[in-house]
Amino acid sequence: MEWIVIILYSLALLFIFMFSLGQLNLTWHYLKAKKNKEGAQNSEPIDYPHITVQLPVFNEKYVVERLIDAVCKFDYPKDRLEIQVLDDSTDETVAIISKKVRVWQEKGVDIQQVLRDDRKGFKAGALQHGMEICKGEFIAIFDADFIPNTDFLKKTIIKFKEGVGVVQTRWGHLNKDYSMLTELQAFGLDAHFSIEQCGRHHAGSFINFNGTGGVWRKQCINDAGGWSADTLTEDLDLSYRAQLKGWNFVYLEDCVAPAELPVIMSAVKSQQYRWNKGAAETAKKNLGKVLKSKLSFGSKLHAIFHLFNSSVFVCLLLASILSIPMLFIKDQNPSLELLFDIGSVFLLGFFSIAAFYWVATKQHYPVKTGKHFFRIFPVFLTISMGLSLHNGIAVIEGLFGFKSAFIRTPKFNITKKGESWKNNTYIKPRLSLLTVLEGLLSLYFIGGIAAGIFLHDWGLIIFHIMLALGFASVFYQSLKGVSNAKA
């Protein structure tokens, strides 16, 4: 039994280590990309192509009006612009959209409210339905929480050279200073959109459309087989199918699409669940196609780590839980001391992750890099550990084929500190078994701290402190959401 624990623990640490090295490699590519960055291309196309803007919406009464207003103000020839509000709503959002659409139609904007009989295929189904009746040869997509700038279309459409199927832009954050929770989300997303997207682009590896804030060539979508609802991340799935067909993707770090971040833990969890489970489903669906493709070994390796990124939460959870039994195994088997000492090499993994986020922080906070990094990074790691149970279960469900409905992330229309979300009718937090388990795990790792002190083994003390704090914080924030919602 001891050897089973040792082997599983070691394999989990090995995956985490390899993941961290992959992030370090992307950091290197990002720095190379910044160094070799070409001058901005300011030329505009003489003949603007016809673009359809798709707004997939489901019960978004708090934010849908500002979204429609933003896209209707695009600085783009009106005779080449079509807007589809793909409305699957079942509440008063339908009437709100109808009224707003009429206002803009009277101003000469080609905008339509597109209704379906049912929500078959959820967001993917709505996008596919809209594409089949749209006029544009290019399709821009925005989720309900986005407020794109007026020059968005002109900045992106000039990047569609021959063979380019998608132009993805960086997400901005309308409310990153609302709370520590929104700051942490912005910290993680900034690293993804700068280091990962730019790094993969520079490496010639697969990147992904992020579901919103980007533009597709309609021909590319059709060539890749169209939108599919068999995973929860239809964006990542279509991205891989399109690139396997030979289409090129372009990522624009300097073009920002502002959006709202979730402000409560239950909303963060629903978003994280969909992203992590969907990524696992997409990995399961497309791994074989990647391995059988004519891609180079390096591109395949990058794609594998990209597809299985979310699996790091499973390995983190496994390594965390087994780390306490490992303390006792080490104490009872002094002959294995060398084996445990070799594990210190995984400190390199920590420094790789630190370098990854340091470079991202330097990009977004060039003046106060150190102050922001050392304030946010430890908390970010701690909360990420606390989310490992929730996200790890999502990944396992995805890998083993457990299907679930597409759960939207509730939007708030909150951009300033002090604004309350308590009157949001879409928020119905409840105390779940998962939340209870997160509370129990915080106690478990407090026990790990005590065990380390009792055994005079200090090697994992900091790790167990972060785990105890992480699970306690996630547990507390989840309970806080439940109590505030009932108040």
Side-chain angles (χ1 to χ4, degrees):
M1 183 66 180
E2 288 183 353
W3 280 106
I4 294 176
V5 173
I6 292 172
I7 291 171
L8 289 176
Y9 180 73
S10 300
L11 288 175
L13 286 181
L14 179 61
F15 184 90
I16 295 171
F17 179 62
M18 295 299 293
F19 169 82
S20 64
L21 291 185
Q23 299 301 86
L24 184 62
N25 178 258
L26 290 176
T27 305
W28 179 84
H29 275 289
Y30 174 76
L31 292 173
K32 291 284 289 183
K34 297 295 287 185
K35 184 178 180 180
N36 300 330
K37 187 176 180 181
E38 299 177 359
Q41 299 178 12
N42 296 318
S43 60
E44 297 184 355
I46 298 175
D47 293 320
Y48 289 106
H50 206 127
I51 296 180
T52 295
V53 177
Q54 292 187 329
L55 312 177
V57 172
F58 174 67
N59 294 354
E60 302 287 8
K61 63 182 179 181
Y62 298 109
V63 295
V64 70
E65 290 184 279
R66 71 180 189 186
L67 169 66
I68 293 174
D69 287 340
V71 299
C72 287
K73 293 177 183 176
F74 275 145
D75 179 19
Y76 200 80
K78 298 302 181 185
D79 62 333
R80 303 292 181 90
L81 178 64
E82 174 193 34
I83 300 170
Q84 293 180 328
V85 186
L86 306 176
D87 185 13
D88 282 351
S89 301
T90 57
D91 66 357
E92 58 264 45
T93 304
V94 178
I96 293 172
I97 292 174
S98 178
K99 182 178 179 180
K100 178 62 70 170
V101 165
R102 285 197 302 272
V103 169
W104 283 105
Q105 285 176 337
E106 291 172 0
K107 295 180 180 180
V109 176
D110 184 3
I111 180 171
Q112 300 293 330
Q113 180 180 24
V114 180
L115 302 170
R116 298 192 296 163
D117 294 333
D118 56 48
R119 290 187 68 209
K120 183 178 180 181
F122 304 107
K123 180 181 177 181
L127 292 171
Q128 183 66 26
H129 176 73
M131 189 189 67
E132 291 171 357
I133 59 175
C134 76
K135 305 172 185 175
E137 56 185 297
F138 294 92
I139 300 174
I141 300 172
F142 297 98
D143 283 347
D145 51 335
F146 276 69
I147 309 179
N149 297 320
T150 57
D151 60 353
F152 180 91
L153 295 181
K154 285 187 174 180
K155 278 188 173 181
T156 51
I157 202 64
I158 62 173
K159 301 298 180 180
F160 277 95
K161 310 303 181 185
E162 186 68 28
V164 173
V166 170
V167 173
Q168 173 67 51
T169 66
R170 178 166 62 88
W171 293 3
H173 316 296
L174 295 167
N175 60 337
K176 68 178 179 180
D177 296 324
Y178 178 79
S179 66
M180 176 58 76
L181 187 60
T182 56
E183 283 193 76
L184 294 175
Q185 293 174 77
F187 184 80
L189 287 170
D190 286 343
H192 165 69
F193 278 98
S194 287
I195 311 301
E196 290 188 328
Q197 290 286 56
C198 283
R200 291 192 180 104
H201 192 211
H202 180 264
S205 302
F206 284 9
I207 66 172
N208 58 288
F209 171 64
N210 292 102
T212 176
V215 184
W216 281 85
R217 190 190 296 268
K218 183 177 179 181
Q219 180 187 354
C220 173
I221 299 176
N222 287 325
D223 188 41
W227 293 101
S228 173
D230 58 359
T231 74
L232 291 179
T233 47
E234 70 293 322
D235 45 9
L236 180 61
D237 173 41
L238 184 57
S239 296
Y240 263 76
R241 287 187 280 120
Q243 287 168 105
L244 284 168
K245 283 282 190 176
W247 289 95
N248 297 318
F249 281 29
V250 171
Y251 174 67
L252 297 182
E253 185 183 14
D254 295 333
C255 184
V256 181
E260 180 183 306
L261 295 163
V263 297
I264 59 173
M265 183 58 73
S266 62
V268 173
K269 280 184 169 181
S270 68
Q271 188 178 69
Q272 290 281 315
Y273 173 85
R274 190 175 69 251
W275 286 353
N276 286 287
K277 180 173 182 176
E281 291 174 329
T282 301
K284 182 180 178 182
K285 177 179 177 179
N286 291 287
L287 177 62
K289 301 173 185 176
V290 170
L291 295 177
K292 293 176 183 177
S293 71
K294 296 180 180 179
L295 296 169
S296 66
F297 174 77
S299 294
K300 288 182 180 180
L301 190 61
H302 269 288
I304 291 170
F305 274 101
H306 186 193
L307 286 169
F308 286 94
N309 255 0
S310 60
S311 297
V312 72
F313 286 107
V314 177
C315 294
L316 176 59
L317 179 65
L318 183 62
S320 300
I321 291 174
L322 295 180
S323 64
I324 296 178
M326 288 293 289
L327 288 173
F328 294 97
I329 293 173
K330 179 181 178 181
D331 181 66
Q332 295 170 12
N333 297 273
S335 61
L336 296 177
E337 184 70 32
L338 178 62
L339 175 63
F340 289 97
D341 288 343
I342 292 175
S344 63
V345 72
F346 293 105
L347 282 174
L348 292 174
F350 170 80
F351 290 116
S352 298
I353 293 297
F356 174 84
Y357 284 104
W358 172 267
V359 172
T361 305
K362 190 174 182 180
Q363 169 65 22
H364 295 279
Y365 295 88
V367 177
K368 298 181 179 179
T369 302
K371 180 179 180 180
H372 187 77
F373 177 82
F374 290 110
R375 183 174 69 90
I376 298 294
F377 180 63
V379 184
F380 177 80
L381 279 186
T382 300
I383 299 300
S384 296
M385 291 178 181
L387 285 168
S388 61
L389 174 65
H390 175 272
N391 291 347
I393 289 175
V395 172
I396 291 171
E397 287 183 0
L399 292 176
F400 284 91
F402 295 101
K403 294 298 182 181
S404 56
F406 185 100
I407 306 298
R408 61 181 283 278
T409 303
K411 314 302 189 305
F412 301 87
N413 195 9
I414 288 177
T415 57
K416 298 177 182 178
K417 285 185 177 181
E419 291 183 311
S420 176
W421 54 267
K422 295 180 183 179
N423 294 324
N424 190 309
T425 58
Y426 299 134
I427 304 301
K428 296 180 174 63
R430 58 185 178 82
L431 181 62
S432 66
L433 175 61
L434 194 59
T435 298
V436 174
L437 290 176
E438 287 165 344
L440 293 175
L441 279 175
S442 69
L443 297 177
Y444 176 72
F445 290 112
I446 290 174
I449 297 169
I453 295 172
F454 176 76
L455 297 171
H456 302 287
D457 189 332
W458 314 105
L460 294 174
I461 287 290
I462 295 178
F463 183 51
H464 288 153
I465 290 174
M466 293 178 71
L467 284 164
L469 289 174
F471 280 105
S473 297
V474 172
F475 174 71
Y476 169 74
Q477 290 293 333
S478 299
L479 283 185
K480 183 180 177 182
V482 173
S483 61
N484 284 342
K486 291 181 179 180

